[in-house]
Amino acid sequence: MNPSLALMLQLTILLPLLATFAIAITGKKPNLREAVTISISLVVLYCVVNLYQALKAGASIEVTWWELMPGLEISFVVEPLGMLFALIASFLWLITTIYAIGYMRGHGEDNQTRFYICFALAISAVMGLAFSANLFTLFVFYEVLTLSTYPLVTHAGTDKAKQGGRVYLGILLSTSIAFFLLAIILTWFMTGTLEFTAGGVFDANVDTTIAGAILALFIFGIGKAAMMPFHRWLPAAMVAPTPVSALLHAVAVVKAGVFTVLKICIFIFGLDLLPKLPTTEFLLYLAAISVLLASIIAMRQDNLKARLAYSTISQLGYITIGALLATQSGVIGSSMHIASHAFGKITLFFCAGAILVASHKSKISEMRGLGYTMPITMGAFFIASLSIIGVPPAGGTWSKWFLLMGTIETGYWFIMATLMLSSLLNIAYLLPIPYHAFFPGKGEKPTDTSIKEAPLPSLIALIITTLGCLIMFIHPQPFYELAKAILTVSGVNHG
C-alpha cells in the first residue's frame, strides 16, 4: 500500500480535528478564522478526491490506529460506499462554510467561533464514520457526531433551542444505547467479528429469528436515519441556524444514519440473507409508512424549515427501503439517493436561510411574490424541488428510478405505489412555494421591493449546489459507478 495514500486517509479525519484549534486561536479575527476553515476544507476535499482516484485505479487503502483487543480495533478502509459518502460530505462542507459566512454575518449570529469549531468536529466524525472498517469504529464516530452537533442545535441559547437540543440528544443517545449498541454486542457474540465483510458476517445456517431481531435492533437503533417513531429529534433540531440545518439534513447527521443502515445491510447481513429474515418485510412496510406519513405531515407545515424537515424524514425512508429490498437496483438507488438528496435538500435549506436573512420571513404563506425580489433564490428552490420530487432535469430522477425498479423486481407493489404517491405529495408541498413566489395571484401585490437577494457568499453557495442538482442528471456516472462498485465489493455480481 502506498504510504502517501494511508497518510491522506488519516488526514481526512485529523485535519478537521486540528482545524478546531486553529479556529479557536483565530476566533477574534473573523476573516482569518473563516479563511482557516475554508483552507482546511479545501485540503480535506483534495485528500478525498485523491483517495477516490486511487480507489478507481484499484488501490487498497487501510489504516489501523488502535487495537483494544483481538478483533476489536479502531481501523479504516477506503471502499466505494464510504467513498461516495466522503465525497459528498467533504465537498458540501466547503460549500456550507461559504454559505455560513454570508448567513452568520448577515443574520448577526452570536458565538460564531464555537459554531465553526463544532462544525469542523462534526466533519471529522463524518470522515471517521465514512471510512470505518468495522462496526466498533463506526459506533465510536457515530456517537462523536451526535455529541459534536448538540452545541450546534442549541446555538441560539434560547429556551426553545435548549428544549430542541434535549429532544435531539435524548432520542439519538437513547436509541444508540438501548438498540444500536445491543445489536453490535449480539452480532459480536453470534459471529465473533465486527468487520464489514463481503456477503455479511452471519453463517448461512444462522437462526433467522435471532438474526431478524438483531436487524430490527439495528434499524431502530440508528436514530439518525429518522425512521418513525424515532424521528422527532429532526423537527426539534430545526431551532438551529440554517447552516446547521443544512449540516444535519445534507452533509452529516441524517446521511450518517442512512449510510450506516446501508453499510450494515450490505456488509453485516449481506444481500442474500436479508430477504430470508422474518423482520425484513415488517421493516420495509414500516419504512414505507414513514415515507407516506412524513409527506402528509410536511404538507400541513407553514414554517418552511419544518416542512423541509418532514420532507427529509420521508426521503430518508426511500434510502432505508432500498437497503432492505436487498437487490442490485435497491442498493444502487439508495446509494445514488444519498447523493441526489444531499444536493437537493441542502439547496432548499440554503434558500430557506437566504429568505430569512434577506426578508426575515419563515412562513410559506408570507412568501407570495418573493420571486420578484429574490429571483435567483426562488429559481434555485424550484430546481432543487424537482430533484427531491425525482423528475428531469434534476439528479433525483435516477435514484428514484432505480428504487422503483427494486420494488418491481421484488414484487412489493404496495411499496412501489407508496413511493409514487410520495412523489406526488412532494409536488404538492414543494412546487406551490416557487409558483406563488413568481405568480402571487390577482389582487396580491409583490413582496416589498426593498428586499434583495441574500449576501453574496450565501448566493454563490446555493448556485453551486443548484448546479450540482442539474449536473447529477446530465452526468450521474461517477455516483452510478461507485454504486455498482459497492455491489462488486459486497460479493454480488451486478452484471
Side-chain angles (χ1 to χ4, degrees):
M1 183 179 65
N2 190 329
S4 64
L5 292 174
L7 177 63
M8 280 190 179
L9 171 55
Q10 295 177 84
L11 285 176
T12 61
I13 303 161
L14 293 174
L15 277 175
L17 189 62
L18 295 173
T20 61
F21 298 103
I23 292 166
I25 292 167
T26 57
K28 292 182 179 178
K29 298 178 180 177
N31 290 342
L32 186 57
R33 174 192 67 204
E34 287 148 20
V36 166
T37 307
I38 288 176
S39 300
I40 296 292
S41 62
L42 280 168
V43 176
V44 170
L45 179 59
Y46 171 80
C47 290
V48 172
V49 170
N50 272 275
L51 291 172
Y52 168 62
Q53 296 292 346
L55 181 69
K56 279 180 67 179
S60 176
I61 311 162
E62 298 179 40
V63 172
T64 298
W65 276 4
W66 177 49
E67 188 175 52
L68 183 66
M69 62 177 73
L72 205 62
E73 58 189 24
I74 300 289
S75 57
F76 308 95
V77 64
V78 177
E79 52 80 34
L81 179 56
M83 178 50 65
L84 184 145
F85 186 28
L87 279 170
I88 295 163
S90 57
F91 178 72
L92 292 181
W93 179 33
L94 171 64
I95 305 306
T96 307
T97 300
I98 294 169
Y99 178 87
I101 293 169
Y103 180 93
M104 300 300 278
R105 293 189 183 190
H107 210 233
E109 293 281 351
D110 296 326
N111 303 311
Q112 293 188 29
T113 300
R114 185 182 69 193
F115 166 85
Y116 288 109
I117 288 172
C118 291
F119 209 125
L121 273 174
I123 294 300
S124 177
V126 166
M127 291 298 155
L129 188 147
F131 292 123
S132 296
N134 55 66
L135 264 176
F136 177 66
T137 307
L138 187 146
F139 183 75
V140 169
F141 283 96
Y142 183 96
E143 296 308 315
V144 171
L145 181 58
T146 301
L147 297 173
S148 63
T149 47
Y150 170 73
L152 293 172
V153 174
T154 60
H155 180 85
T158 61
D159 289 340
K160 188 178 179 182
K162 291 174 183 175
Q163 173 59 25
R166 282 193 291 271
V167 174
Y168 177 81
L169 203 60
I171 291 177
L172 292 186
L173 285 182
S174 61
T175 52
S176 280
I177 295 165
F179 305 128
F180 194 8
L181 183 59
L182 178 59
I184 292 171
I185 292 168
L186 289 172
T187 301
W188 169 269
F189 180 76
M190 286 192 67
T191 67
T193 182
L194 296 178
E195 292 292 316
F196 292 121
T197 308
V201 298
F202 291 95
D203 291 334
N205 58 354
V206 67
D207 186 321
T208 54
T209 303
I210 296 172
I214 294 173
L215 175 65
L217 286 172
F218 272 123
I219 298 298
F220 289 124
I222 303 166
K224 290 186 177 72
M227 171 91 90
M228 289 184 175
F230 301 110
H231 67 286
R232 283 188 55 249
W233 66 268
L234 212 159
M238 288 302 96
V239 295
T242 301
V244 176
S245 301
L247 174 78
L248 294 174
H249 289 261
V251 184
V253 180
V254 297
K255 291 302 181 296
V258 288
F259 165 81
T260 301
V261 168
L262 257 175
K263 191 95 171 173
I264 286 168
C265 285
I266 296 169
F267 296 107
I268 295 297
F269 289 93
L271 301 185
D272 291 331
L273 178 62
L274 269 178
K276 301 172 186 175
L277 301 182
T279 53
T280 301
E281 189 167 346
F282 164 73
L283 293 168
L284 266 169
Y285 283 111
L286 185 62
I289 291 166
S290 186
V291 166
L292 207 55
L293 286 179
S295 296
I296 293 167
I297 296 169
M299 290 181 66
R300 300 175 59 190
Q301 306 300 312
D302 191 33
N303 181 282
L304 180 54
K305 282 178 68 176
R307 183 172 293 191
L308 296 180
Y310 279 102
S311 168
T312 296
I313 294 168
S314 175
Q315 295 294 315
L316 294 178
Y318 281 75
I319 300 169
T320 303
I321 285 169
L324 291 170
L325 286 172
T327 65
Q328 297 167 32
S329 297
V331 170
I332 291 172
S334 285
S335 304
M336 293 183 72
H337 204 62
I338 287 177
S340 64
H341 178 260
F343 278 90
K345 191 50 64 72
I346 203 169
T347 304
L348 293 177
F349 272 103
F350 281 175
C351 292
I355 292 165
L356 183 63
V357 168
S359 69
H360 308 290
K361 297 179 187 297
S362 58
K363 291 186 176 180
I364 295 164
S365 55
E366 298 172 352
M367 294 178 187
R368 288 175 177 264
L370 203 58
Y372 287 86
T373 53
M374 301 182 72
I376 296 174
T377 300
M378 297 316 300
F381 194 101
F382 172 68
I383 292 169
S385 296
L386 295 181
S387 189
I388 298 298
I389 294 162
V391 292
T397 306
W398 303 122
S399 56
K400 289 200 174 183
W401 170 267
F402 280 107
L403 287 168
L404 285 172
M405 288 293 291
T407 61
I408 293 169
E409 287 170 9
T410 51
Y412 281 109
W413 306 111
F414 171 78
I415 292 174
M416 183 191 75
T418 300
L419 297 185
M420 294 177 75
L421 179 58
S422 172
S423 288
L424 292 174
L425 293 173
N426 296 164
I427 294 171
Y429 67 68
L430 286 175
L431 288 191
I433 300 170
Y435 177 81
H436 291 305
F438 287 109
F439 308 103
K442 292 180 180 179
E444 293 190 54
K445 293 182 180 179
T447 307
D448 180 4
T449 53
S450 65
I451 296 171
K452 304 297 179 188
E453 293 280 7
L456 186 60
S458 298
L459 209 57
I460 290 170
L462 68 87
I463 289 171
I464 291 170
T465 55
T466 304
L467 289 172
C469 293
L470 297 172
I471 291 167
M472 286 191 68
F473 176 78
I474 299 164
H475 187 64
Q477 279 84 353
F479 294 107
Y480 175 67
E481 292 298 333
L482 278 172
K484 283 209 304 181
I486 294 164
L487 293 167
T488 303
V489 171
S490 67
V492 176
N493 178 19
H494 54 73

